[in-house]
């Protein structure tokens, strides 16, 4: 029984609870006057969350720390002068699709998505660099002030220089990786709904550090699982102990919403095969379970008379699962099995018709969710079955679909984000799952235009960047799903709007785009970047208004001009002029 508090509310604890919900990273542990650990607020980190410059603070406390952490936290909060520019020729079904593919730095993309998708995303999945010593990490040159950061972020830069090698010889080997991940995860948390969830693939190199920064950013209480995925079918012969697994770390936005955060997995044929109906129960196939529980509870130690007249009692050290009244009620419903002769220990029935799924384990064998070779084969089959592999060890679609089945529902219009899109496995999985269960999930993929070496297999085929291959994979996957599943082109959303991250279309602007009542292009020409179209300007206004960039855009004729009509009149702009 909970004790009565007998005091007025502890407002300090209530305030800490409120801060923990807004800024989980500022909650830490300190010692009280008696030397006992207590929950407290890291005011240096709180100041950093509310500051426009890097804040120093020497106080010692329990936390994960590394050189550059404050700069990484600062980078998450610093605004950028960039925009999403639509690229129709790279898109599929631009005017009708609800899916997005964003080419550019994912830190920029996460910032640009903050207003439009704040608190709207149901599932985030990422497969970031694992920091094996051979990986590349983002070269985040964090600014020391808002002014210098804005000055740099407004300039066009060579995206190919954003990735740098992170070898084990680097003195900041772990620090650089942590500094890359920290601001991106902080921004990702903002996008999640209250019942949202994030899954992160990782291996042994940084699993410890990843868990600790996720505990800080999402809150330790919101940790759900550390899943072990069997990624290989056989051990690596060149190693004494070959890695046969990777991890998938799972955190909720708020674990108190767990019933709406994760859902039961569908039953497979193997699951259904254990159900039978030896007594011709009119309610159909069933499976029985033990009706005893460990321990001794006097009111659950009654005798039971079986259909054959035999009297049975609980086995030594155990009692019946329910009180006698509840047992009798379930017997009247025919929910017990006493064996083929009617004289066995009672077992309670669970009917197949009552099972809406099953719980997931933290062990995901490749027989259920695929392996890396399967992922490689899937990409090769889409491009050329006898050709080269264009990606190294892409995640299999079955693995992505397992995550979708756990975290999304068919009819909920759930938004799925992957800001390390790579080969596009998650986009492929979203379309495949929608085609199977008539769902309407939507995806947002983000991929840096990482250059493809000219002499690589992909380079020889004419591909210039990872993002280009990823977009093509999504196009081909959509066609393949329609062919193999027999789904009509309108049976699921097989398209995507392609956007490139670029500097703002407005220069030296005195007014924000959303303050312009009429898009008088010629009158605003001095404030617009050369080469920008009215559609570029329109989507920047959409972005500044915090409207989703998937709203329908139609072209209409008015007084001899073409007008871009967004969401049936929400925004209207001329499509005639390019300045």
């Amino acid at each position: 029984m909970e004790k009565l508090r007998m005091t007025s509310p502890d407002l300090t604890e209530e305030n800490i609870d409120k801060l923990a919900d807004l800024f989980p990273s500022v909650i830490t542990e300190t010692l009280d006057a008696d030397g006992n650990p207590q929950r407290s607020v890291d005011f240096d980190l709180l100041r950093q969350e509310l500051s426009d410059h890097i804040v120093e603070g020497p106080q010692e406390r329990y936390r994960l720390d590394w050189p550059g952490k404050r700069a990484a936290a600062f980078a998450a909060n610093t605004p950028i002068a960039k925009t999403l520019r639509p690229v129709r020729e790279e898109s599929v079904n631009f005017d009708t699709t609800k899916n997005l593919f964003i080419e550019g730095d994912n830190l920029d993309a996460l910032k640009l998505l903050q207003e439009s998708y704040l608190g709207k995303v149901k599932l985030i999945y990422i497969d970031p660099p694992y920091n094996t010593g051979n990986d590349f990490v983002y070269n985040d040159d964090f600014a020391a002030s808002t002014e210098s950061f804005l000055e740099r972020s407004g300039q066009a830069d060579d995206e190919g220089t954003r990735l740098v090698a992170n070898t084990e010889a680097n003195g900041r080997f772990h620090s650089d990786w942590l500094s890359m991940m920290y601001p991106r995860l902080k921004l990702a948390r903002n996008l999640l709904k209250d019942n949202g969830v994030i899954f992160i693939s990782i291996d042994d190199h940084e699993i410890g550090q990843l868990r600790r920064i996720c505990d800080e950013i999402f809150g330790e209480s919101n940790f759900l699982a550390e899943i072990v995925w069997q990624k290989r079918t056989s051990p690596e012969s060149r190693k004494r102990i070959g890695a046969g697994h990777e991890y998938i770390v799972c955190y909720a936005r708020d674990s108190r919403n767990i019933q709406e955060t994760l859902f039961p997995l569908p039953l497979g044929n193997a699951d259904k095969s254990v159900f039978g109906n030896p007594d011709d129960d009119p309610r159909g196939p069933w499976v029985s379970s033990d009706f005893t529980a460990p321990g001794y509870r006097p009111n659950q130690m009654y005798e039971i008379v079986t259909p054959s007249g035999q009297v049975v009692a609980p086995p030594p050290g155990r009692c019946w699962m329910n009180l006698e009244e509840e047992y009798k009620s379930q017997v009247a419903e025919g929910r017990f099995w006493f064996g083929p002769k009617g004289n066995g220990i009672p077992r309670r029935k669970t009917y197949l018709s009552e099972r809406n799924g099953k719980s997931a384990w933290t062990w995901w064998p490749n027989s259920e969710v695929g392996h890396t070779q399967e992922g490689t084969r899937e990409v090769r089959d889409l491009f050329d079955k006898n050709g080269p592999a264009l990606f190294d060890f892409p995640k299999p679609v079955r693995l992505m679909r397992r995550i979708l089945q756990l975290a999304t529902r068919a009819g909920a219009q759930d938004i799925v984000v992957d800001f390390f899109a790579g080969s596009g496995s998650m986009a492929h999985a979203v379309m495949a799952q929608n085609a199977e269960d008539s769902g309407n999930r939507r995806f947002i993929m983000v991929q840096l235009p990482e250059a493809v070496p000219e002499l690589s297999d992909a380079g020889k085929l004419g591909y210039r960047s990872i993002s280009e291959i990823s977009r093509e994979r999504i196009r081909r996957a959509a066609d393949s799903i329609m062919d193999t599943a027999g789904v009509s082109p309108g049976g699921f959303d097989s398209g995507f709007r392609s956007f490139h991250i670029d500097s703002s279309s407005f220069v030296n602007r005195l007014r924000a785009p959303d303050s312009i009542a009429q898009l008088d292009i010629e009158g605003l020409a001095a404030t617009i970047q050369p080469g920008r179209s009215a559609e570029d300007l329109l989507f920047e206004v959409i972005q500044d208004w915090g409207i989703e960039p998937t709203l329908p855009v139609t072209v209409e004729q008015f007084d001899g001009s073409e007008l871009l009509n967004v969401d049936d009149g929400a925004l209207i702009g001329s499509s005639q002029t390019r300045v």
Side-chain angles (χ1 to χ4, degrees):
M1 179 182 296
E2 183 179 354
K3 293 183 178 180
L4 296 176
R5 188 176 60 232
M6 303 299 291
T7 64
S8 62
D10 188 334
L11 297 181
T12 298
E13 284 299 312
E14 289 186 7
N15 288 333
I16 290 177
D17 288 338
K18 294 174 183 177
L19 283 174
D21 185 56
L22 289 172
F23 310 111
S25 62
V26 308
I27 305 302
T28 185
E29 292 178 2
T30 56
L31 299 179
D32 62 17
D34 298 323
N36 299 314
Q38 65 177 7
R39 191 176 63 153
S40 63
V41 176
D42 184 332
F43 289 101
D44 293 328
L45 287 179
L46 181 59
R47 286 171 58 210
Q48 183 65 74
E49 290 286 355
L50 304 175
S51 178
D52 64 353
H53 61 276
I54 298 175
V55 176
E56 300 296 335
Q59 182 182 356
E60 292 183 347
R61 57 189 64 81
Y62 172 75
R63 65 179 184 184
L64 174 64
D65 218 343
W66 68 89
K69 181 178 181 180
R70 293 182 183 276
F74 170 69
N77 296 334
T78 307
I80 58 172
K82 294 191 177 184
T83 189
L84 297 175
R85 295 185 65 189
V87 187
R88 280 183 173 266
E89 58 269 24
E90 293 177 351
S91 306
V92 177
N93 302 331
F94 186 94
D95 292 323
T96 58
T97 184
K98 296 294 184 181
N99 300 319
L100 296 180
F101 188 100
I102 300 173
E103 178 178 290
D105 188 324
N106 54 17
L107 183 60
D108 292 340
L110 289 166
K111 292 184 178 185
L112 294 173
L113 295 172
Q114 289 296 299
E115 290 193 71
S116 300
Y117 291 95
L118 184 69
K120 294 182 178 180
V121 174
K122 181 62 177 70
L123 167 65
I124 297 175
Y125 168 79
I126 57 173
D127 184 14
Y130 285 0
N131 209 25
T132 63
N134 300 314
D135 289 328
F136 287 80
V137 298
Y138 280 78
N139 182 21
D140 290 324
D141 185 13
F142 299 135
S145 69
T146 302
E147 291 77 13
S148 59
F149 190 92
L150 285 172
E151 181 180 355
R152 263 203 292 266
S153 67
Q155 297 173 353
D157 57 2
D158 181 4
E159 294 288 0
T161 65
R162 293 292 290 113
L163 294 179
V164 295
N166 193 39
T167 65
E168 292 177 329
N170 178 12
R172 292 175 49 93
F173 177 67
H174 290 292
S175 297
D176 283 350
W177 188 86
L178 289 166
S179 290
M180 176 193 73
M181 294 296 296
Y182 193 78
R184 290 166 173 81
L185 291 175
K186 280 176 64 68
L187 291 167
R189 178 181 180 269
N190 297 338
L191 300 180
L192 289 174
K193 301 171 66 174
D194 287 342
N195 63 344
V197 62
I198 184 170
F199 287 77
I200 307 171
S201 284
I202 199 69
D203 72 355
D204 291 310
H205 290 83
E206 296 289 0
I207 179 63
Q209 284 67 245
L210 178 65
R211 282 285 304 273
R212 294 184 68 184
I213 61 173
C214 284
D215 283 346
E216 182 173 308
I217 292 171
F218 295 97
E220 189 173 356
S221 64
N222 293 318
F223 168 74
L224 297 182
E226 184 176 300
I227 298 160
V228 179
W229 167 49
Q230 185 187 17
K231 68 175 183 177
R232 297 178 61 87
T233 56
S234 60
E236 297 177 86
S237 58
R238 59 191 177 90
K239 293 184 178 181
R240 286 287 180 256
I241 301 179
H245 72 279
E246 290 179 4
Y247 303 98
I248 304 175
V249 176
C250 178
Y251 281 79
R253 176 63 176 81
D254 186 346
S255 60
R256 292 173 296 183
N257 296 319
I258 190 62
Q259 297 301 319
E260 292 298 316
T261 299
L262 297 180
F263 309 108
L265 291 174
L267 298 177
N269 292 331
D271 302 310
K272 296 176 182 179
S273 66
V274 302
F275 288 79
N277 196 2
D279 59 349
D280 295 323
D281 192 311
R283 283 165 287 195
W286 50 267
V287 65
S288 66
S289 58
D290 189 4
F291 185 60
T292 66
Y296 176 83
R297 298 178 180 86
N299 56 354
Q300 292 173 223
M301 299 299 295
Y302 49 89
E303 293 182 336
I304 288 178
V305 179
T306 71
S308 66
Q310 184 173 340
V311 178
V312 295
R318 301 184 71 83
C319 61
W320 298 124
M321 187 74 71
N322 297 125
L323 299 175
E324 188 171 11
E325 294 78 8
E326 177 63 22
Y327 162 73
K328 289 180 177 179
S329 173
Q330 294 182 40
V331 166
E333 296 175 5
R335 285 186 170 269
F336 278 88
W337 171 247
F338 294 89
K341 297 182 179 180
N343 59 359
I345 296 291
R347 294 179 63 83
R348 184 158 48 192
K349 295 179 180 179
T350 299
Y351 296 93
L352 178 59
S353 60
E354 296 174 336
R355 289 287 297 272
N356 64 345
K358 62 179 180 179
S359 297
W361 287 37
T362 54
W363 164 243
W364 290 7
N366 56 40
S367 59
E368 295 181 4
V369 297
H371 42 74
T372 54
Q373 296 96 318
E374 180 176 315
T376 301
R377 185 175 62 250
E378 287 170 342
V379 176
R380 179 186 284 117
D381 288 350
L382 287 173
F383 287 83
D384 183 354
K385 292 183 178 181
N386 299 316
L390 300 184
F391 282 94
D392 293 328
F393 312 118
K395 294 297 186 287
V397 172
R398 282 198 293 164
L399 178 64
M400 300 295 95
R401 291 184 65 175
R402 165 66 64 87
I403 294 172
L404 289 171
Q405 290 167 347
L406 269 174
T408 67
R409 287 176 291 187
Q413 297 187 14
D414 288 329
I415 299 173
V416 180
V417 173
D418 181 352
F419 53 88
F420 285 95
S423 70
S425 292
M426 179 53 80
H428 187 162
V430 168
M431 293 187 296
Q433 192 63 36
N434 282 343
E436 179 177 294
D437 61 16
S438 300
N440 51 10
R441 302 168 186 84
R442 302 153 55 187
F443 66 73
I444 301 176
M445 300 290 111
V446 183
Q447 177 57 42
L448 187 76
E450 180 183 348
V452 172
E454 290 185 11
L455 298 180
S456 67
D457 292 327
K460 292 176 182 177
L461 292 174
Y463 294 104
R464 296 168 298 175
S465 67
I466 298 296
S467 53
E468 185 179 349
I469 306 173
S470 185
R471 282 191 296 266
E472 182 61 20
R473 188 259 176 96
I474 298 172
R475 297 186 193 101
R476 293 177 181 237
D479 292 339
S480 175
I481 292 168
M482 285 186 280
D483 290 342
T484 58
V487 181
S488 65
F492 65 96
D493 189 346
S494 58
F496 59 87
R497 283 186 178 179
S498 182
F499 289 87
H500 289 187
I501 296 177
D502 206 338
S503 58
S504 172
S505 295
F506 295 86
V507 293
N508 300 320
R509 68 189 188 193
L510 300 178
R511 289 179 291 169
D514 60 1
S515 69
I516 301 170
Q518 300 290 332
L519 282 180
D520 182 1
I521 300 297
E522 294 183 3
L524 297 174
T527 67
I528 298 172
Q529 291 269 26
R532 301 300 170 96
S533 69
E535 194 163 66
D536 291 332
L537 306 181
L538 194 62
F539 274 96
E540 185 156 354
V541 174
I542 287 174
Q543 173 189 308
D544 279 15
W545 273 18
I547 300 173
E548 293 183 23
T550 56
L551 290 177
V553 179
T554 59
V555 179
E556 299 178 0
Q557 298 293 327
F558 179 78
D559 196 22
S561 298
E562 287 188 346
L563 298 180
L564 296 173
N565 187 342
V566 181
D567 198 25
D568 197 22
L571 284 172
I572 297 178
S574 170
S575 64
Q576 294 280 42
T577 308
R578 182 179 294 272
V579 294

